[in-house]
Amino acid sequence: MPTISVDKAELFEALGREYTTDEFDDLCFEFGIELDEDTSESDRPTVNGKQEPAQLKIEIPANRYDMLCFEGISLMLNIFLGRKSSPNYRLVAPPNGELEAITVHEETFKIRPYVSGAVLRNIKFTQERYESFIALQDKLHQNLARQRTLVSIGTHDLDTIEGPFSYEALQPKDIAFVPLNQKNSMNGIELMKFYENDKHLARYLPIIRDSPVYPVVYDSKRTVCSLPPIINGNHSKITTKTRNVFIEITATDRTKVEIVNNILVAMFSQYTDEQFTVEPVKIVSKHNHESRQTPDLTPRETQVEISYINDCCDLSLSAEEICKLLKRMSYTANPSKASKNLIDVHIPPTRADILHQCDIMEDVAIAYGFNRLPRSFPSKSGTVAQPLMINKLGDIIRLEAAMAGWSEVMPLILCSHDENFAWLNRKDDGNTAVRLANPKTAEYQIVRTSLLPGLLKTIRENKHHSVPIKIFEVSDVAFKDMSLERKSRNERHFAAAWYGKSSGFEVVHGLMDRIMLMLKSAFITSEEGLEGKDMSNSAYWIEEVDGNFVDLNIVGLMSVV
């Protein structure tokens, strides 16, 4: 979980009272966060003859991206304590009535296809607010943005640049600007060399370094605003004197770019002259039909069942009581007119983590109080899970094979293309195996379509052991299936291999007979219409082949390699 450091005195002032360490620890527990450390109880460094202010280090749940800064923590705790109501975030038009616009060029599809934006107009920064603004961007980059690979944020002083803006993808040599806090202009190639040893930015260079084009944001005068996801231009850098902030966010993930935008503007719109107002930006992206206005701060609407919440929490709350509890967690909720068992809930734009009514139920439990929840015997709320039928079948086969004296192995599910096809004398039609888009090594290129490569590799690596070697595996293989949403499907397979001085065909046959017997599968003879079934398989040298039949279909083969 991310840990956020906040000024102790400043936070207590925002909360309206002083807390002891134990009292604040209890408050954090009640809200579902954790006080990790209070530095007032330890020695603090002295800088320029002044001791560093006492800090509270607070662990934030991984799903609460809206609490990765001082502003989010103080706002949520104040709402929880009933000192403030949930903010009403609003989009407002700019003074001249014309929205700033970002035009997306089609070439950006090659590198970072999505962009979002917003304007915080008439914002007031202090040194503390400015540092918190930068720190929130860093926290979002580290967590939700996955080290800038998914999302990168650029913030600019709008008074130093002029819209409309354009988001383009150009060759590195064609991009030249003065990077943030530098004095000399450099192109994309020179910039990569300049920052390759920088302790902060070097880690981000590989994201675009090998790309033939780099993403870049220009204003109307062709001034470079930023080279995402590496660095902003020095021309538009923000300071504590900045009054109007232009935010552009580029991404490879359409969903996360909007989440980051919503959180950033929601947290710092409280410092604008007209509190909790945001000026939207028009995104013009005709080539991929992504033209829209951002951000969208409209609360999401959903419904929760009163019976579900009460059953999960072992409570008997009315609709009105649940609505009051949800209000403490920054929701807007009202009893539904459609059903007495439903509550209409408006989810704030900062809570992208709310995906199901179980998430809302958890917040009801937090607002009610963990320590106040009834203590029930496990039979009240606990359940005994049932295995999936496919897992139960796999366990039965594992048990029977092990009791027959065979050893289970667990090779990796990834293998090389040759191991799965060429080395088994099989042809790849291009529609069977699931390939990795960017395999790191030639050893792991595809998801296996057979358990045979793993068994053979296991035998190869254990040839120094005494023979015979009897091994088996019960596991999944994967196949392409364009009819499904995920374009692939898993199948549970069973395979066994016998390695010794003789073929051991009868040993493997005996294992199969035992498994089929325990599964109560009827024995079918050739007189019952199975003549002519094709049992050839290019992976085997066809000296001895036997098919396994269930309901007159071949479900497996036994042979000698």
Side-chain angles (χ1 to χ4, degrees):
M1 296 191 296
T3 300
I4 309 300
S5 295
V6 297
D7 187 284
K8 181 177 180 179
E10 189 177 354
L11 180 60
F12 287 175
E13 181 181 355
L15 296 179
R17 56 159 290 192
E18 293 290 326
Y19 290 85
T20 66
T21 301
D22 290 339
E23 287 175 338
F24 188 73
D25 191 19
D26 291 340
L27 174 62
C28 289
F29 175 81
E30 290 174 7
F31 189 74
I33 58 181
E34 183 178 348
L35 177 61
D36 187 53
E37 183 183 356
D38 181 354
T39 62
S40 63
E41 300 176 348
S42 58
D43 292 334
R44 304 190 301 277
T46 300
V47 180
N48 297 327
K50 187 177 180 180
Q51 191 176 39
E52 180 185 78
Q55 301 282 312
L56 295 173
K57 297 184 179 180
I58 304 172
E59 285 193 5
I60 306 298
N63 63 313
R64 292 303 300 266
Y65 302 112
D66 58 320
M67 297 182 68
L68 291 177
C69 60
F70 169 86
E71 289 71 18
I73 294 173
S74 61
L75 178 62
M76 292 301 113
L77 289 179
N78 272 317
I79 295 173
F80 181 73
L81 294 171
R83 298 187 69 251
K84 291 184 178 180
S85 58
S86 299
N88 179 26
Y89 299 106
R90 295 183 298 114
L91 298 179
V92 296
N96 61 4
E98 184 177 350
L99 297 179
E100 296 290 354
I102 302 176
T103 301
V104 183
H105 290 219
E106 187 173 357
E107 293 77 14
T108 57
F109 185 77
K110 301 175 182 178
I111 180 72
R112 296 176 81 83
Y114 303 111
V115 67
S116 185
V119 173
L120 292 175
R121 196 171 291 277
N122 297 322
I123 191 171
K124 293 180 180 177
F125 280 126
T126 62
Q127 185 62 35
E128 292 75 18
R129 294 174 182 178
Y130 173 80
E131 292 174 356
S132 180
F133 188 58
I134 300 301
L136 176 59
Q137 295 176 55
D138 288 339
K139 286 295 183 181
L140 290 172
H141 281 151
Q142 294 168 19
N143 294 277
L144 185 61
R146 297 292 186 270
Q147 300 293 339
R148 302 191 189 183
T149 56
L150 300 181
V151 180
S152 64
I153 307 167
T155 54
H156 312 276
D157 189 333
L158 185 58
D159 296 328
T160 63
I161 50 181
E162 185 177 338
F165 302 89
S166 64
Y167 176 46
E168 307 175 21
L170 304 175
Q171 294 184 5
K173 62 182 179 62
D174 297 331
I175 303 172
F177 68 105
V178 179
L180 186 66
N181 298 326
Q182 299 299 322
K183 296 181 179 180
N184 299 323
S185 177
M186 55 188 80
N187 62 30
I189 298 174
E190 295 169 339
L191 184 141
M192 289 293 168
K193 293 181 180 178
F194 182 80
Y195 285 109
E196 61 185 4
N197 294 320
D198 187 277
K199 64 180 181 179
H200 177 62
L201 294 177
R203 75 186 81 167
Y204 306 122
L205 301 184
I207 300 175
I208 63 170
R209 169 176 267 166
D210 296 330
S211 173
V213 292
Y214 288 177
V216 60
V217 178
Y218 286 104
D219 76 347
S220 60
K221 296 181 179 180
R222 303 300 289 176
T223 301
V224 173
C225 298
S226 69
L227 182 75
I230 309 302
I231 197 168
N232 294 341
N234 191 65
H235 179 83
S236 59
K237 71 176 181 180
I238 63 172
T239 66
T240 55
K241 297 180 180 180
T242 298
R243 290 285 286 154
N244 300 300
V245 177
F246 172 68
I247 302 170
E248 46 84 8
I249 306 172
T250 61
T252 58
D253 189 296
R254 170 69 165 77
T255 301
K256 287 184 170 57
V257 71
E258 302 300 350
I259 294 174
V260 169
N261 196 2
N262 289 349
I263 291 173
L264 189 61
V265 299
M267 292 301 102
F268 285 87
S269 60
Q270 60 185 285
Y271 297 138
T272 57
D273 287 350
E274 193 175 351
Q275 203 173 36
F276 300 118
T277 59
V278 180
E279 184 180 309
V281 167
K282 183 180 179 182
I283 306 297
V284 182
S285 184
K286 297 180 180 179
H287 66 279
N288 59 355
H289 308 290
E290 287 291 338
S291 296
R292 64 198 187 280
Q293 180 178 292
T294 63
D296 181 6
L297 298 178
T298 306
R300 289 183 291 136
E301 297 182 6
T302 189
Q303 290 182 321
V304 293
E305 298 172 334
I306 298 174
S307 58
Y308 173 82
I309 292 175
N310 284 328
D311 288 345
C312 291
C313 300
D314 195 17
L315 299 172
S316 299
L317 300 174
S318 66
E320 291 74 15
E321 290 173 323
I322 293 176
C323 291
K324 289 181 180 179
L325 293 176
L326 287 174
K327 184 178 180 181
R328 296 186 65 194
M329 301 303 293
S330 194
Y331 296 89
T332 301
N334 296 289
S336 176
K337 297 179 181 179
S339 172
K340 293 183 179 179
N341 190 43
L342 295 176
I343 293 176
D344 296 327
V345 180
H346 291 78
I347 304 170
T350 54
R351 293 299 303 274
D353 59 301
I354 304 300
L355 304 176
H356 185 270
Q357 66 174 345
C358 67
D359 300 311
I360 299 176
M361 176 274 296
E362 180 185 5
D363 281 343
V364 170
I366 291 173
Y368 184 83
F370 287 133
N371 289 329
R372 294 178 57 204
L373 291 174
R375 297 179 181 270
S376 300
F377 191 75
S379 62
K380 178 72 177 180
S381 59
T383 59
V384 178
Q386 279 188 316
L388 295 173
M389 294 307 296
I390 186 65
N391 291 340
K392 187 174 182 179
L393 175 61
D395 289 341
I396 292 173
I397 294 176
R398 283 191 183 94
L399 179 62
E400 293 302 326
M403 291 176 66
W406 295 67
S407 300
E408 184 177 12
V409 296
M410 299 180 68
L412 297 176
I413 197 170
L414 299 178
C415 64
S416 71
H417 184 273
D418 286 345
E419 289 172 350
N420 199 77
F421 291 104
W423 294 357
L424 296 181
N425 199 27
R426 293 173 175 170
K427 294 184 178 180
D428 181 11
D429 59 4
N431 297 317
T432 303
V434 177
R435 290 175 173 266
L436 273 66
N438 54 343
K440 298 300 181 183
T441 67
E443 191 175 1
Y444 307 117
Q445 296 173 317
I446 65 172
V447 182
R448 62 186 180 183
T449 62
S450 169
L451 300 182
L452 190 57
L455 295 180
L456 294 178
K457 287 173 69 176
T458 302
I459 292 175
R460 181 190 68 190
E461 300 300 327
N462 291 276
K463 288 192 296 184
H464 58 281
H465 286 283
S466 59
V467 295
I469 296 176
K470 300 189 292 183
I471 57 176
F472 76 93
E473 182 182 7
V474 180
S475 192
D476 281 1
V477 297
F479 298 94
K480 281 185 180 179
D481 191 337
M482 305 307 292
S483 65
L484 300 178
E485 181 181 5
R486 62 183 181 274
K487 309 303 181 186
S488 65
R489 73 176 191 277
N490 282 20
E491 288 185 5
R492 188 68 51 86
H493 283 199
F494 165 71
W498 190 94
Y499 171 72
K501 296 181 178 179
S502 62
S503 69
F505 187 82
E506 68 283 359
V507 180
V508 178
H509 205 305
L511 174 64
M512 181 55 62
D513 286 346
R514 174 63 181 174
I515 290 174
M516 300 301 281
L517 176 64
M518 297 309 297
L519 294 178
K520 298 182 180 179
S521 298
F523 183 77
I524 303 174
T525 64
S526 60
E527 286 80 9
E528 297 178 10
L530 294 178
E531 298 88 345
K533 287 281 187 179
D534 182 12
M535 295 181 291
S536 62
N537 190 310
S538 58
Y540 305 108
W541 296 337
I542 309 299
E543 295 178 356
E544 301 175 73
V545 177
D546 190 13
N548 308 312
F549 304 94
V550 174
D551 294 335
L552 305 186
N553 290 316
I554 298 178
V555 296
L557 291 172
M558 291 183 290
S559 186
V560 177
V561 177

